[in-house]
Amino acid sequence: MILILFMPHRYNQPVIRWATISPYLVMAIGLAIDWYGRFGFVGRDVFREESGVLTFVRGPAFGPVFALYIIGCIVIPVTTLVTLAVRHAAVREPIIWLTAGVLLTFLAGYVFREVGLTTLTYASLLPIHLSFGWVTIRYGLFRPSQVALQAAVEHLPDGVLVLDANRQVRFANRAAQQLVALEVGRVVEEVLHEEGFVEQNAISGHWPGYRRLVRGSERVLLLSEVAIRDERGGSSVVLLRDVTIVERQQAELLASRTILSERSAALERSLAELRRRDELLRRLTLPIIPLSATMLVVPLIGMFDIERCQTLVQLILNETAARQVRVVLIDVTGLTVFDQMLAHTLNQLNQGARLMGAQIVLCGIRPDLAEVMVHAGSMWDGVRSFATLQDGVSALLVAR
């Protein structure tokens, strides 16, 4: 009956149900066997005296059994009531009345037994236990998993507050008390003001739905509140979260991103400047000199790698198409090395110029260059060449 009235959620658990009921079943079965079997361990006999009072003849085991009765019917209920009174101030008044009722019913049972009303002796505790069940259910003192829930709330990293309709603190877990010096019964806004917290807007729209509380540069708290309506009136649950380190890291990250973007922009400008310089250097190392509207001179200086060879072909063919050039004089006097790669490049340039209706003329042929060109074979067939640039320009101008 106690399980059904006080803890119905526990009654649905078979192990707990049988573990709680089994001692009472064992005691009831033992008393029945002892009485009807005439063993006399607890009670040997009952007889009526001349005054009409029933007398119970005690057996050797009466003392332990009576002690269990006192523990189960008096000590455990009173201990439970005292514990509830300490932990729940709102129900202290009915708990005081119930405690007094438990003691009075015990005394009343003793009186009923002495005057011969044995039936009332066993029934005297029933009303107080029913009242005890009503109080616990009415105030929700034995709700499912309340102990586990309270332990979980106590160990949450975020602060949890329960406020009444007057904004007074009714509960504060351990984290909330560490964040703010909260006291039960104080108005939460007053405590926050005394602690130096001022409400501010969140940075860059972060933390939507939260109130941001700042105390100088020391601490930043986020406050979220949920209203609750029940039979006891309005209340609310407040969540406090310390985001000081998070916002500090966000600010540092934002500053790092700003510095990174500035450095990226500077690098892009540097790369653009380097491209312009490379383009200028390529033009300086491959100068194009117009002799007339249809004639160009391109002096080759230094060594030519793959990149310079590709640039040479692109540059001359583009200028040929743009200026409608007919003759391109390539002066190889300034070359330090004339290898097979450059020879192949000049051959590609000659074939491309022919397709565009232009002619490639080589000037400044030295003996070593001539030897390399001879080994290259027939790729120079149809290509005019001169010993010096002056000879080539003179010959072409006279031909015009």
Side-chain angles (χ1 to χ4, degrees):
M1 184 186 69
I2 293 175
L3 282 175
I4 295 174
L5 288 177
F6 303 158
M7 295 177 284
H9 60 287
R10 297 296 186 188
Y11 185 77
N12 295 327
Q13 302 176 9
V15 175
I16 295 179
R17 181 171 66 247
W18 286 109
T20 307
I21 295 176
S22 57
Y24 297 95
L25 292 178
V26 171
M27 181 179 294
I29 294 173
L31 290 175
I33 294 174
D34 180 70
W35 179 259
Y36 291 104
R38 300 296 181 179
F39 293 105
F41 292 108
V42 178
R44 294 180 177 178
D45 196 5
V46 176
F47 63 92
R48 188 180 299 275
E49 297 179 354
E50 295 179 359
S51 60
V53 178
L54 290 176
T55 300
F56 181 78
V57 181
R58 301 173 182 177
F62 177 81
V65 173
F66 185 73
L68 291 176
Y69 169 77
I70 295 298
I71 293 173
C73 295
I74 304 297
V75 176
I76 291 178
V78 171
T79 303
T80 304
L81 290 172
V82 172
T83 303
L84 295 177
V86 172
R87 294 185 177 181
H88 303 276
V91 294
R92 285 177 182 172
E93 184 175 352
I95 284 177
I96 292 174
W97 287 105
L98 286 175
T99 304
V102 170
L103 299 177
L104 290 176
T105 50
F106 176 72
L107 296 177
Y110 180 79
V111 173
F112 291 149
R113 185 183 67 84
E114 293 297 326
V115 299
L117 301 176
T118 309
T119 304
L120 293 180
T121 300
Y122 295 104
S124 60
L125 291 175
L126 182 60
I128 196 65
H129 283 108
L130 292 176
S131 302
F132 182 41
W134 177 83
V135 170
T136 53
I137 295 174
R138 168 65 177 81
Y139 290 94
L141 301 178
F142 287 102
R143 292 178 180 174
S145 304
Q146 181 180 2
V147 176
L149 178 61
Q150 184 173 357
V153 172
E154 281 290 341
H155 291 85
L156 282 176
D158 295 333
V160 178
L161 304 176
V162 177
L163 309 180
D164 59 12
N166 298 322
R167 309 291 296 171
Q168 293 179 348
V169 178
R170 291 305 176 192
F171 171 79
N173 68 344
R174 188 180 307 170
Q177 295 175 358
Q178 292 175 352
L179 292 174
V180 185
L182 292 168
E183 297 179 2
V184 176
R186 295 286 305 280
V187 178
V188 63
E189 282 77 9
E190 294 180 357
V191 177
L192 291 173
H193 179 71
E194 292 176 359
E195 291 290 322
F197 284 97
V198 179
E199 184 172 353
Q200 293 183 357
N201 295 326
I203 300 176
S204 303
H206 289 312
W207 316 113
Y210 284 85
R211 294 168 55 191
R212 184 169 175 268
L213 305 173
V214 179
R215 184 174 64 187
S217 59
E218 300 176 6
R219 178 162 292 179
V220 180
L221 299 180
L222 292 181
L223 186 148
S224 177
E225 185 171 349
V226 178
I228 299 176
R229 299 290 179 182
D230 53 18
E231 65 276 5
R232 284 175 282 181
S235 59
S236 59
V237 177
V238 176
L239 177 67
L240 287 175
R241 177 173 297 176
D242 188 355
V243 295
T244 307
I245 298 178
V246 175
E247 289 204 354
R248 190 175 300 164
Q249 292 175 347
Q250 288 179 346
E252 293 175 355
L253 179 61
L254 183 61
S256 300
R257 288 179 178 176
T258 303
I259 295 174
L260 182 60
S261 61
E262 292 176 355
R263 291 182 178 178
S264 299
L267 287 175
E268 291 179 358
R269 291 193 296 268
S270 299
L271 288 175
E273 183 66 23
L274 288 175
R275 294 191 190 99
R276 288 193 295 270
R277 291 181 181 180
D278 290 342
E279 182 66 22
L280 179 60
L281 288 174
R282 284 195 294 268
R283 290 187 175 275
L284 290 176
T285 56
L286 291 172
I288 297 178
I289 304 172
L291 294 180
S292 65
T294 59
M295 186 181 299
L296 297 177
V297 175
V298 181
L300 303 184
I301 303 171
M303 295 179 59
F304 277 77
D305 54 8
I306 297 177
E307 185 177 358
R308 288 194 72 189
C309 289
Q310 293 176 353
T311 303
L312 174 65
V313 175
Q314 295 175 359
L315 185 61
I316 293 179
L317 293 181
N318 290 336
E319 290 293 330
T320 300
R323 298 172 179 267
Q324 296 182 353
V325 174
R326 293 292 175 263
V327 179
V328 178
L329 284 81
I330 298 179
D331 183 16
V332 297
T333 306
L335 287 176
T336 56
V337 176
F338 189 90
D339 53 10
Q340 292 294 332
M341 182 177 62
L342 181 57
H344 182 69
T345 300
L346 292 177
N347 183 47
Q348 287 182 333
L349 182 60
N350 180 44
Q351 294 176 2
R354 283 183 179 181
L355 294 176
M356 298 175 67
Q359 179 185 6
I360 298 296
V361 178
L362 297 178
C363 302
I365 305 298
R366 304 193 306 268
D368 56 335
L369 300 183
E371 183 178 357
V372 175
M373 295 174 68
V374 169
H375 288 295
S378 61
M379 69 171 57
W380 307 109
D381 295 343
V383 178
R384 298 182 63 182
S385 59
F386 297 92
T388 63
L389 177 60
Q390 183 178 2
D391 294 340
V393 173
S394 300
L396 293 175
L397 289 178
V398 171
R400 288 171 58 88

